[in-house]
Amino acid sequence: MIERCSNPIVRLDPGEAWLAAFDWMLNLVAATLEHLIGLLGGALAGRLTGHFIGRIYAVHVEPLHFQDLHQLAEWSLIPQAFARNGSALGAVVGLLAIVVLHRKGQQR
């Protein structure tokens, strides 16, 4: 995790107010980047995992009879559906992991 600066805002001289504002801005940017990395990393991992599981499902659980070619086309899209849902789940898990790591780092 990125180390946080700790400028005391109490009893600032008028010349040091910009330091506190700069410190606050750096902390905001650091927290935003951490959460963005967790969100994108989790979404990517979830998408890849979902696509992999969807392929396995589509190969091994293929139905015996199709009524028409429309059902065959829908069946070929199953890995993408798994990947989309895995991406959403992975993004949530990634954000939760960042929040847990951030709180664990604050307890030290």
Side-chain angles (χ1 to χ4, degrees):
M1 303 299 297
I2 299 173
E3 292 296 323
R4 304 274 186 233
C5 299
S6 58
N7 278 339
I9 298 178
V10 182
R11 299 183 194 139
L12 286 176
D13 292 335
E16 294 179 1
W18 68 273
L19 287 175
F22 185 69
D23 182 40
W24 180 83
M25 185 61 76
L26 283 179
N27 287 336
L28 179 68
V29 168
T32 302
L33 287 176
E34 287 174 357
H35 286 81
L36 185 64
I37 289 171
L39 177 79
L40 293 176
L44 180 63
R47 182 163 183 83
L48 293 175
T49 304
H51 190 71
F52 180 72
I53 292 171
R55 272 185 160 175
I56 292 172
Y57 179 79
V59 168
H60 293 294
V61 189
E62 189 170 340
L64 296 176
H65 304 290
F66 287 113
Q67 300 294 332
D68 58 359
L69 291 178
H70 181 67
Q71 287 180 336
L72 181 63
E74 287 179 359
W75 192 258
S76 67
L77 296 176
I78 284 180
Q80 284 80 14
F82 272 79
R84 183 178 55 245
N85 294 331
S87 179
L89 182 64
V92 170
V93 169
L95 280 177
L96 289 176
I98 291 296
V99 168
V100 167
L101 288 174
H102 181 64
R103 288 190 181 184
K104 191 175 183 181
Q106 284 181 347
Q107 289 177 357
R108 290 183 188 179

